[in-house]
Amino acid sequence: MELHLEDKVAVVTGASKGIGLAITKALAREGARVVAGARTIDALSGIDRVTAVALDLVAPDGPARLVRRAIDDHGRLDVLVNNVGAVRMRLQGFLGTSDEEFDWALQTNFFAALRATRAALPAMLSGGAGAIVNIASVNAFFEPDAGVLDYGAAKAALLNLTKSLAQEFGPKGIRVNAISPGPVSTDLWLGQDGVAHTVARATGVDPDTARKNVLASIGGLATGRLTTPEEVATLAVMLSSPLTANVTGSNFVVDGGLIKTI
């Protein structure tokens, strides 16, 4: 299917691994020119049609610097994918989670996207069109325990912002949507500081057993496997395309059947 993304200019945050890297590659394969930001950019080296920018997206000026690079290089901005995010397991529950830890979660998972969006909108408005895709999480509305309560709160704020921006800027040609992945085969779940290893260390089992135990405790996955980054990327690219021009203010769940309710 031709997605009409040839020579569109896209910014992707948190682009060096996992979902962000998959989205960057998928947009580039569709012909977009991608300005990809992350702290480290080795994994982005040599990808055709991709400009890698090393910067801290949690710093107050980081998102605007990335957007400015895209506009300076290409003179326009058509797509913004707010992917940057991270989670730290909170095994001590609410009373063991400090203000500073909530602040870290909000800065990383909400304010980085907020700032990138604020920087991107003027260029999109001047062009009369644009697509913003926010990578949220099922934890924005699914909290089976306190392990990710600060992360979930930040992602819930991102979903709320998605709805508000879609209403305000829809009449001006800007579409804003969200994707809420469930467990994905990235470092967030499988890395040394991810869910599986953190729970394994706390419970005295191996990471594979810990992963299976966590998934079982939250209801299990109908497909029996984690979502791949590429599956999330496919949806992100579709939402970036003019073919979905009347889709806005929506949240798309990609969770392998984790959420059982309608």
Side-chain angles (χ1 to χ4, degrees):
M1 179 183 294
E2 171 56 57
L3 297 181
H4 304 292
L5 288 169
E6 185 74 26
D7 290 329
K8 297 289 188 183
V9 178
V11 164
V12 180
T13 69
S16 64
K17 59 184 179 180
I19 293 172
L21 181 58
I23 292 171
T24 297
K25 290 179 175 179
L27 285 167
R29 283 195 301 270
E30 292 296 329
R33 301 188 182 277
V34 186
V35 177
R39 286 179 182 270
T40 59
I41 57 175
D42 292 348
L44 296 163
S45 177
I47 303 176
D48 191 35
R49 306 182 76 86
V50 173
T51 300
V53 182
L55 76 176
D56 181 2
L57 288 159
V58 179
D61 67 337
R65 286 173 54 205
L66 182 63
V67 170
R68 174 49 54 190
R69 176 63 182 273
I71 296 169
D72 287 347
D73 284 4
H74 302 292
R76 59 184 292 172
L77 181 59
D78 304 292
V79 176
L80 169 65
V81 181
N82 284 311
N83 168 74
V84 69
V87 63
R88 294 173 179 170
M89 292 294 291
R90 306 304 187 188
L91 300 182
Q92 303 305 312
F94 173 68
L95 294 178
T97 304
S98 66
D99 284 2
E100 290 75 19
E101 288 166 325
F102 269 97
D103 182 66
W104 174 86
L106 285 162
Q107 291 294 333
T108 304
N109 296 288
F110 176 69
F111 277 102
L114 176 75
R115 290 164 180 151
T117 302
R118 184 184 289 127
L121 276 170
M124 291 182 174
L125 289 168
S126 68
I132 298 172
V133 181
N134 294 322
I135 306 301
S137 169
V138 294
N139 292 123
F141 47 86
F142 177 68
E143 287 287 347
D145 57 43
V148 292
L149 79 168
D150 55 336
Y151 174 78
K155 292 298 190 180
L158 185 59
L159 280 188
N160 189 282
L161 181 69
T162 299
K163 290 285 189 181
S164 179
L165 294 174
Q167 291 300 311
E168 181 176 355
F169 294 102
K172 300 175 182 178
I174 314 299
R175 299 181 295 110
V176 189
N177 291 290
I179 300 173
S180 286
V184 180
S185 53
T186 66
D187 283 351
L188 190 152
W189 266 86
L190 304 178
Q192 287 299 314
D193 295 316
V195 174
H197 281 77
T198 301
V199 173
R201 288 190 291 268
T203 58
V205 300
D206 63 90
D208 189 55
T209 298
R211 175 182 58 79
K212 292 176 181 177
N213 289 344
V214 170
L215 291 174
S217 73
I218 61 177
L221 305 178
T223 61
R225 66 171 178 85
L226 302 182
T227 300
T228 68
E230 291 73 22
E231 288 166 333
V232 180
T234 297
L235 184 52
V237 172
M238 287 295 297
L239 292 172
S240 302
S241 167
L243 295 185
T244 55
N246 208 37
V247 179
T248 194
S250 295
N251 177 44
F252 296 86
V253 176
V254 186
D255 69 349
L258 172 66
I259 304 299
K260 309 299 194 288
T261 56
I262 296 174

